[in-house]
Every structure is written in structure tokens, then in C-alpha cells.
């Protein structure tokens, strides 16, 4: 069996030296292939250690590395631009094109959060009430809401129930309860501003 030549310290890249030839016609790839092969051999210990590989092995590894790195970059760009491209026709060609970002879908998504927080969004909020009866524990909330003019055919979600009176401190700090900071309302609560007779 004849001896198979191993790495001798130099190489010359030619078309067809890689398994798939993805980048054989790419000037940047072909210009870097021999430099990469030399770098890999030296990282393996050449020339102090004999590297039992040929240039084709280094070119193959280089092709795989470029493909893997390219996939990582493209996946990141896809994720970055997905919301800007959502709804685009599937036949769109975006190779070598700059995608201009916009906030359309980001705003659409944020509106759902705003709906949950009660700070906007597309969900309509309603208020309703019903009278509590002494000794009655069970109430038909749907009937009470319907009587208030709320459409419950599509279902309802109760966000908050007010079942207690506001605490007294609210009246003190409420700027609309009287004058100033609400001191007048506070005094009236404790009957401190009633006229007294001697």
C-alpha cells in the first residue's frame, strides 16, 4: 500500500476542494482557505508535530465553520426581523436586502399587555353593580351584568371586585374631597368643624 501524503506545510486551494462547493466561487472564501488551513495545522502543533491530515480536511472544516456561523447569523437576523416581516407573502425574496424596522406588530403585541393592565388595548372594560341583600350569599352575576347593559354572550372576565368602602385615609389625601388636600372632608368626618353652642 502506498503512503498517503500528509500535511507538508503548504496548500493551494482549487475549485472542487470542498465536499459541497458552497463557497468555491466566493473570493473571500478562496482567499482565506489556505490561510485557514495553515492556521489549523499550526494550532495542531505543526511543524513540531506531524499533522496526519491533508489540505482537503482543513478546507472541509473551513466550509463547515462558515456554514455554521452563517446559520447562526441568519437565525439571529430572522428572529430580529420576524415581527417586521410577519404577514409578508411567502414568496418574498429578502436576500441581500435591508429590512426597515417598524413598530406595527410590536404595538399590536403591547396592546394585549395594556389590556391586561387596564391601561389601553383593544379590550373594552365595563363597570357594573348589583345590590346586596342581607342574608343572601349567592348572586347571579351574569344576570346583574346583563341588566346593566353589558353584553355577556362572548364571555366575561372579572378584573376587580369592589366590595369594601374605601379606607378613611383616601378621603384625607383626595384633592377633590373638599378644598386643599381634603382637610375639610377629614374634619367633617370626625365632626370637628361643627359649630358649637355655649
Amino acid at each position: 500500500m502506498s503512503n498517503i501524503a500528509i500535511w507538508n506545510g503548504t496548500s493551494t486551494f482549487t475549485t472542487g476542494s470542498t465536499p459541497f462547493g458552497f463557497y468555491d466561487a466566493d473570493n473571500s472564501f478562496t482567499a482565506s482557505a489556505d490561510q485557514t488551513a495553515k492556521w489549523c495545522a499550526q494550532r495542531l502543533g505543526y511543524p513540531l508535530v506531524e499533522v496526519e491530515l491533508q489540505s482537503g480536511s482543513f478546507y472541509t472544516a473551513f466550509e463547515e465553520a462558515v456554514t455554521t456561523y452563517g446559520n447562526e447569523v441568519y437565525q439571529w437576523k430572522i428572529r430580529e426581523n420576524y415581527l417586521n416581516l410577519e404577514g409578508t407573502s411567502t414568496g418574498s425574496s429578502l436576500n441581500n436586502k435591508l429590512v426597515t424596522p417598524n413598530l406595527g406588530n410590536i404595538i399590536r403585541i403591547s396592546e394585549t399587555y395594556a389590556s391586561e393592565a387596564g391601561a389601553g388595548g383593544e379590550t373594552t372594560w365595563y363597570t357594573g353593580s348589583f345590590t346586596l341583600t342581607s342574608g343572601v350569599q349567592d348572586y347571579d352575576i351574569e344576570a346583574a351584568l346583563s341588566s346593566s347593559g353589558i353584553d355577556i354572550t362572548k364571555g366575561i372576565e372579572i378584573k376587580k371586585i369592589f366590595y369594601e368602602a374605601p379606607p378613611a385615609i383616601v378621603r384625607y389625601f383626595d384633592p377633590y374631597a373638599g378644598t386643599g388636600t381634603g382637610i375639610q372632608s377629614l374634619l367633617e368626618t370626625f365632626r370637628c368643624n361643627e359649630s358649637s353652642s355655649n
Side-chain angles (χ1 to χ4, degrees):
M1 182 177 178
S2 61
N3 292 330
I4 300 175
I6 62 174
W7 177 257
N8 61 5
T10 60
S11 64
T12 302
F13 182 84
T14 57
T15 301
S17 298
T18 56
F20 296 100
F22 291 147
Y23 317 106
D24 285 4
D26 186 281
N27 292 332
S28 298
F29 182 87
T30 57
S32 303
D34 292 318
Q35 295 174 340
T36 303
K38 181 179 180 180
W39 180 84
C40 291
Q42 290 178 348
R43 288 290 292 162
L44 291 172
Y46 186 85
L48 297 178
V49 177
E50 287 187 350
V51 177
E52 296 184 357
L53 295 171
Q54 296 177 329
S55 58
S57 300
F58 294 121
Y59 299 151
T60 299
F62 186 37
E63 182 182 54
E64 180 184 10
V66 171
T67 301
T68 301
Y69 176 74
N71 287 338
E72 293 290 335
V73 172
Y74 290 139
Q75 287 175 9
W76 183 86
K77 291 299 291 181
I78 289 170
R79 185 189 67 180
E80 188 75 4
N81 293 319
Y82 175 76
L83 288 177
N84 299 318
L85 299 174
E86 189 176 34
T88 306
S89 60
T90 55
S92 302
S93 177
L94 300 172
N95 289 337
N96 301 318
K97 291 185 179 179
L98 180 64
V99 177
T100 303
N102 62 72
L103 298 176
N105 283 328
I106 295 175
I107 292 173
R108 179 178 56 81
I109 292 174
S110 64
E111 284 179 348
T112 61
Y113 291 100
S115 295
E116 286 298 318
E122 298 179 353
T123 303
T124 304
W125 285 55
Y126 297 95
T127 59
S129 62
F130 54 90
T131 304
L132 300 180
T133 305
S134 176
V136 178
Q137 296 293 322
D138 297 327
Y139 294 90
D140 189 343
I141 295 178
E142 291 186 353
L145 295 177
S146 296
S147 64
S148 298
I150 299 173
D151 181 15
I152 62 170
T153 56
K154 297 181 180 179
I156 58 171
E157 180 180 351
I158 298 176
K159 292 290 188 180
K160 194 167 186 179
I161 298 177
F162 298 93
Y163 60 95
E164 293 180 346
I169 194 67
V170 172
R171 284 180 272 176
Y172 178 72
F173 286 108
D174 185 0
Y176 302 105
T179 59
T181 58
I183 294 176
Q184 177 182 349
S185 179
L186 177 68
L187 295 175
E188 289 176 353
T189 300
F190 291 101
R191 300 173 182 248
C192 294
N193 65 341
E194 293 181 353
S195 59
S196 58
S197 57
N198 292 328

